[in-house]
Amino acid sequence: MVSATAQHPSRRILYIDHDEDCAQLTKWALENFGLQVTTLPDPMSALEILSDRPEGWDFLIAALEKSGQDELDGIMTIRTRHPDLHYALVAQSLTDEVVRQAEDSGVGPVLRKPATMNRFAALAELASH
C-alpha cells in the first residue's frame, strides 16, 4: 500500500470520539499512515473548529456509540454546513437503519470496530482520496 504521505502530504483529519483512550489510539495509528489528526470529544466541538477554520480540514471521522443517533445527528448538521468535507464513521454496533441513514446522508461509509491495524489502514486509505 502506498503511504498517505506520499499521495497527500497535507491531509488533515478531525477524529471525533468521546473515549479519550480510543481517540488517542486512533490518532497514533492514523499518524503512522502519514495523516495529521486532531481529536475531539463530540460533534459540537468539531462544528466549532470548522466554523473557525473551515479550509483547514480534509476529512472527518466520527466514532459512534450504541444507537449512534445523537452523534449521527450532530455529524449530519456538520455535513449540511460543510458539504465539501469527506466523512466516515466507525462503530461497534449500530442498527442497519442507522447505517443506511448515515450512508444515504453522505456521512458514510461506516466501518465496524474493533480497532485493528487493518481498520486503521482502511480509514487512512479513505482519507487519502
Side-chain angles (χ1 to χ4, degrees):
M1 174 170 58
V2 178
S3 76
T5 304
Q7 293 177 358
H8 302 282
S10 64
R11 285 304 215 183
R12 304 256 344 247
I13 311 303
L14 287 176
Y15 181 76
I16 300 170
D17 195 330
H18 78 278
D19 183 324
E20 181 64 25
D21 291 336
C22 288
Q24 290 306 312
L25 175 64
T26 302
K27 177 180 178 169
W28 171 82
L30 292 175
E31 286 177 343
N32 279 316
F33 286 100
L35 302 168
Q36 297 175 26
V37 180
T38 298
T39 62
L40 300 165
D42 57 62
M44 292 306 108
S45 298
L47 191 56
E48 191 175 303
I49 283 181
L50 286 164
S51 295
D52 291 342
R53 295 186 348 233
E55 71 288 340
W57 310 100
D58 302 298
F59 204 88
L60 185 141
I61 302 168
L64 301 183
E65 299 300 322
K66 298 187 184 183
S67 77
Q69 193 61 56
D70 290 338
E71 293 102 339
L72 182 57
D73 289 345
I75 301 305
M76 289 178 10
T77 297
I78 294 169
R79 174 85 170 117
T80 300
R81 295 181 188 176
H82 302 279
D84 294 336
L85 266 179
H86 298 281
Y87 295 83
L89 304 174
V90 292
Q92 187 162 6
S93 60
L94 292 177
T95 65
D96 290 340
E97 179 183 337
V98 172
V99 171
R100 195 170 26 262
Q101 181 183 6
E103 291 175 346
D104 289 348
S105 66
V107 295
V110 178
L111 302 174
R112 300 289 183 185
K113 288 182 179 181
T116 65
M117 286 310 284
N118 286 339
R119 298 267 194 243
F120 292 132
L123 284 175
E125 194 64 31
L126 284 170
S128 295
H129 296 292

